């Protein structure tokens, strides 16, 4: 329990008074130290400014007197004709600067800015780097006075110089500007005592804010206008709080004018620098004060802790009970806890949701047997008394076992699975799980997954059709264009269009293959084939690409390779196109080698081994594990430089594994890569024949086919033009209709050798039109019908054949395939 309020207030008051006194004394001591430090810094700034002013006044007065007396020194060199003896003037100027160690050069300048004479030869020859308008403004002053320039870089010495100028009269009506060149470093030396004062920055500025010199030096700011020019204030020499002249940090700033009003001296001591020692002292004082305060506070807290332990324990118990109640309420299963005396301790809302007839009975301390007796009346209301008694005995027996498990079927046909466990103190905890709800949830999840899979298949079929339809027109028209007379530039553009279209078609096919793999619907077409001819066919087709890149593409095979094997040559070609195509893509110079070997396996089988090696960019060890993942390439830069979707290798691995083989890779970055494919295949003896042979003779060339009359059912206008042009090129006659209704009417109105039937058409689609034609009387119902489809799914093609079609040709249409299918069915 909490200590009495009066005791708490006494402890708090004692601690508060003591801590407050210690902290107040520490703050007073720190504030006093800060005031003393600031006063000392203020005095240092004011003493420095007064001393620097006196030094600068003497220097500037000496320069001004020297410039003002120039006319008396130089008048003897005035000639009778009104000109001047320049040689004498220069000699006199050199004598003058030799008597003033501060001045490097003394120059007489005409009103037009040209040099009349100078002490230094380079000044007389090159002039002075004075600001534009400097000479004119100085000569235009109503009364002669000293004019000072900003620091400027001398042409010859590359040093910063400050130029002091004053108009003088040389006699004979000649008026010139006497200019003294003083190194900025010498002017800065007059402020050098500021370097002995910690943190001080001294500046010599014009009243317009232009910085002439500073100590310590800030060369980047020399000649620049500082913010907040000092000319608008009344410089008193007293240090006041203001932004530092350089950097703008809070500082004590003292400003005094020199004898020549345009110039001002400023001394800035940053507040942080002035209080640096005080800050160290303040940390010590505050640390000591806090230590005392913590000791007193700790003593008070210790006393309060002893008095409040009981209250804290009670609060913890309440929080734990609240958390337990929330946890029990959030459980999806019912829970009942009984103590060692078999009396109810706690339950959760889900338990009463499962057994609602216990709401008026259950309470802490109620015997568990009482719940069983009420439950048997709800579960077996019509049973005989002896049956009810037997059920109660069985239930109590399960309840008393070490590991009780049972199932109940409730009146609403829900099935409840219960598990009972004994607690260490002898109690029993029972968990009731609604099995029916779980099964229903699983059924819903299964239905949703199946619906999502069907939606995905429909989406892929729809997208395949929608993309292939315009792509059919693009590639078909492009193919026809390439058969015409084109300029070299036009042919290059057309071939680029064809290459890009074929790349897009490959990507579509890869995505469809990937969807088949994920759905487990990819099937192999096992036929007899010649392995050497199959590999050589792929190498021959890709040789053009290798030659275009200047690469050597060569194939070698071991002797004794069986000439006839059983497998899926189409899928094998797909894998080889991916592997050899990738090798060419990622190799900029060198070669690509394809090697074909084999080794015998038990029975009439061999392991066919194909390796593709290149001298390309290679693959690092970190990239190899994710090389066969979907949509993955070596790194993001690979896709930018070489292109590709990252699907080829993933699909190739799926195909090889479906064939019962394996694919492996070895690679060294910068040296090259080697992909190896191993396939177990059946060997056919020379006398054996296969119903389907990959080496069957192909269709006769299009030129030798007899002309046929063909009906084309196609709703897309561009595709109508394309197909008609292709048929014209093959030497056939054709008529075009736009939907299934017209196709059914047209085959009854004229004699045709063949119908090319699009699948998706408005009104009546191609499948419905085919079924309608097959129901027509006479020989019209037997006319060959070929599906022209952009749908690439296998089950859809099977549906077309089941509807009565004789064959199919996929979009985008290829002239050779179209000729082959026409010959095959007619």
């Amino acid at each position: 329990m909490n200590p009495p309020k009066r005791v708490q207030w006494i402890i708090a008051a004692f601690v508060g008074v003591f801590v407050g006194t210690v902290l107040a004394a520490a703050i007073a001591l720190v504030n006093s130290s800060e005031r003393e430090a600031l006063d000392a810094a203020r005095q240092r700034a004011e003493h420095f400014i007064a001393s620097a002013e006196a030094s600068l006044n003497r220097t500037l007065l000496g320069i001004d007197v020297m410039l003002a007396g120039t006319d008396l020194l130089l008048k003897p060199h005035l000639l009778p004709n009104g000109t001047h003896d320049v040689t004498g003037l220069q000699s006199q100027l050199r004598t003058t600067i030799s008597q003033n160690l501060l001045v490097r050069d003394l120059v007489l300048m005409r009103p037009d800015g040209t040099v009349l004479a100078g002490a230094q030869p380079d000044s007389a020859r090159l002039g002075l780097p004075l600001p534009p308008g400097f000479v004119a403004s100085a000569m235009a002053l109503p009364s002669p006075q000293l004019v000072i320039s900003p620091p400027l870089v001398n042409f010859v010495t590359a040093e910063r110089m400050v130029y002091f100028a004053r108009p003088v009269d040389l006699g004979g009506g000649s008026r010139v500007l006497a200019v003294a060149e003083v190194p900025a470093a010498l002017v800065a030396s007059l402020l050098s005592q500021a370097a002995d004062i910690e943190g001080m920055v001294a500046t010599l500025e014009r009243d317009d804010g232009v910085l002439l010199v500073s100590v310590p030096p800030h060369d980047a700011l020399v000649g620049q206008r500082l913010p907040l020019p000092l000319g608008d204030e009344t410089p008193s020499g007293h240090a006041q709080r203001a932004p530092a002249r350089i950097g703008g940090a809070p500082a004590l700033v003292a400003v005094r004018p020199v004898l020549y009003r345009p110039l001002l001296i400023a001394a800035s001591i940053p507040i942080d620098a002035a209080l640096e020692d005080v800050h160290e002292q303040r940390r010590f004082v505050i640390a000591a004060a806090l230590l005392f305060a913590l000791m007193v506070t700790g003593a008070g807290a210790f006393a309060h802790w002893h008095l409040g332990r009981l209250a804290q324990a009670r609060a913890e118990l309440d929080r734990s009970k609240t958390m337990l109640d929330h946890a029990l309420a959030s459980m999806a299963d019912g829970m009942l806890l009984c103590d060692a005396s078999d009396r109810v301790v706690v339950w959760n809302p889900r338990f009463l949701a499962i057994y609602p007839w216990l709401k008026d009975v259950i309470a802490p301390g109620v015997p568990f047997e009482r719940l069983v007796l009420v439950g048997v009346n709800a579960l077996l209301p019509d049973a005989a008394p002896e049956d009810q008694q037997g059920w109660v005995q069985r239930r109590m027996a399960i309840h008393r076992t070490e590991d009780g498990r049972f199932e109940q079927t409730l009146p609403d046909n829900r099935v409840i699975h219960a598990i009972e466990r004994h607690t260490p103190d002898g109690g029993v905890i029972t968990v009731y799980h609604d099995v029916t709800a779980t099964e229903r949830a699983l059924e819903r999840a299964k239905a949703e997954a199946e619906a999502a899979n069907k939606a995905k298949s429909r989406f892929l079929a729809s997208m395949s059709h929608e993309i292939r339809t315009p792509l059919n027109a693009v590639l078909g028209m492009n193919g026809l264009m390439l058969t015409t007379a084109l300029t070299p530039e036009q042919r290059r553009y057309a071939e680029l269009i064809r290459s890009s279209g074929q790349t897009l078609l490959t990507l579509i096919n890869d995505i469809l293959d990937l969807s088949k793999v994920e759905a487990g619907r990819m099937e192999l077409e096992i036929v007899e084939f010649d392995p050497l001819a199959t590999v050589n066919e792929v190498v021959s087709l890709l040789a053009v690409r290798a030659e275009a890149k200047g690469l050597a593409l060569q194939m070698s095979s071991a002797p004794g390779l069986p000439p006839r094997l059983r497998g899926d040559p189409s899928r094998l070609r797909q894998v080889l196109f991916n592997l050899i195509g990738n090798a060419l893509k990622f190799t900029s110079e060198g070669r690509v080698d394809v090697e074909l070997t084999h080794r015998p396996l038990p029975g009439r089988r061999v392991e066919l081994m194909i390796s593709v090696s290149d001298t390309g960019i290679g693959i690092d060890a970190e990239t190899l594990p994710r090389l066969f993942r979907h949509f993955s390439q070596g790194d993001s830069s690979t896709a930018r430089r070489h292109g590709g979707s990252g699907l080829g290798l993933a699909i190739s691995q799926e195909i090889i594994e479906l064939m019962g083989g394996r694919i492996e890779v070895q690679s060294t970055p910068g040296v090259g890569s080697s992909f190896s494919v191993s396939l177990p295949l059946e060997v056919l003896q020379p006398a054996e024949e296969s119903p389907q042979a990959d080496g069957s003779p192909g269709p006769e060339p299009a030129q030798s086919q007899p002309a046929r009359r063909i009906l084309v059912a196609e709703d897309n206008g561009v595709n109508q033009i394309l197909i008609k042009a292709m048929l014209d090129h093959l030497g056939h006659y054709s008529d075009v209709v736009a939907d299934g209704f017209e196709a059914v009417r047209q085959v009854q109105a004229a004699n045709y050798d063949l119908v090319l039937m699009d699948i998706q058409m408005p009104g009546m689609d191609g499948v419905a039109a085919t079924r309608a034609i097959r129901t027509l009387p006479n020989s019209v119902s037997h006319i060959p019908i070929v599906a022209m489809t952009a749908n690439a799914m296998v089950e859809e093609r099977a549906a077309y054949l089941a509807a009565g079609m004789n064959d199919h040709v996929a979009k985008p249409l290829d002239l050779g395939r179209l000729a082959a299918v026409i010959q095959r069915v007619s």
Side-chain angles (χ1 to χ4, degrees), residues 71 160 256 304 364 386 431 436 474 479 500 518 527 536 608 696 704 749 794:
D71 56 348
R160 292 186 183 273
R256 288 181 69 95
H304 190 275
E386 58 272 15
V431 178
T436 308
V474 172
S500 299
E518 291 178 343
V527 297
N536 188 57
L608 182 66
S696 59
S704 63
V794 173

Side-chain angles (χ1 to χ4, degrees), residues 651-696:
I651 295 173
S652 297
Q653 185 183 47
E654 300 284 357
I655 293 173
I656 294 301
E657 291 179 352
L658 187 61
M659 292 179 174
R662 65 184 184 277
I663 182 170
E664 300 173 344
V665 59
Q666 294 179 345
S667 183
T668 303
V671 177
S673 305
S674 177
F675 286 81
S676 300
V677 173
S678 300
L679 291 174
L681 299 172
E682 179 185 355
V683 179
L684 292 179
Q685 297 301 327
E688 293 185 76
E689 294 184 0
S690 177
Q692 293 181 346
D694 184 57
S696 59

Side-chain angles (χ1 to χ4, degrees), residues 65-76 108 167-171 178:
V65 169
M66 179 190 70
L67 294 176
T70 304
D71 56 348
L72 296 177
L73 296 173
L74 302 179
K75 279 183 181 179
L108 299 179
V168 295
D169 189 359
L170 294 182

Side-chain angles (χ1 to χ4, degrees), residues 137 139 245 646 724 798 826:
S137 60
M139 296 293 291
R245 296 304 298 153
K724 186 170 180 58
S826 61

Side-chain angles (χ1 to χ4, degrees), residues 333-404:
D333 295 334
M335 190 279 299
L336 176 68
L337 176 63
C338 297
D339 60 17
S341 300
D342 214 11
R343 294 182 178 274
V344 173
V345 177
V346 67
W347 64 96
N348 69 345
R350 180 60 181 160
F351 174 75
L352 292 181
I354 296 174
Y355 303 111
W357 49 83
L358 298 178
K359 289 182 180 179
D360 298 332
V361 180
I362 195 167
V366 172
F368 178 76
E369 189 173 2
R370 170 66 176 155
L371 302 182
V372 175
L373 293 174
V374 174
V376 71
N377 292 324
L379 295 172
L380 304 173
D382 301 326
E386 58 272 15
D387 292 337
Q388 290 185 342
Q389 183 62 31
W391 186 90
V392 171
Q393 291 176 355
R394 288 192 300 273
R395 179 68 185 90
M396 292 303 296
I398 295 172
H399 182 68
R400 294 188 181 102
T401 59
E402 290 291 333
D403 186 9

Side-chain angles (χ1 to χ4, degrees), residues 49 201-211 213-214 218 221 224-233 242-255 264-270:
I49 207 76
V201 177
T203 60
L204 178 63
E205 310 172 30
R206 293 197 320 210
D207 56 3
D208 59 357
V210 174
L211 178 65
V213 294
S214 68
H218 293 79
L221 297 176
Q224 303 294 320
R225 189 184 303 274
L226 299 179
L228 301 176
L230 298 173
D232 298 335
E233 303 176 1
R245 296 304 298 153
I246 294 178
L252 293 173
V253 181
V255 182
L264 299 167
I265 305 175
S268 303
I269 300 179

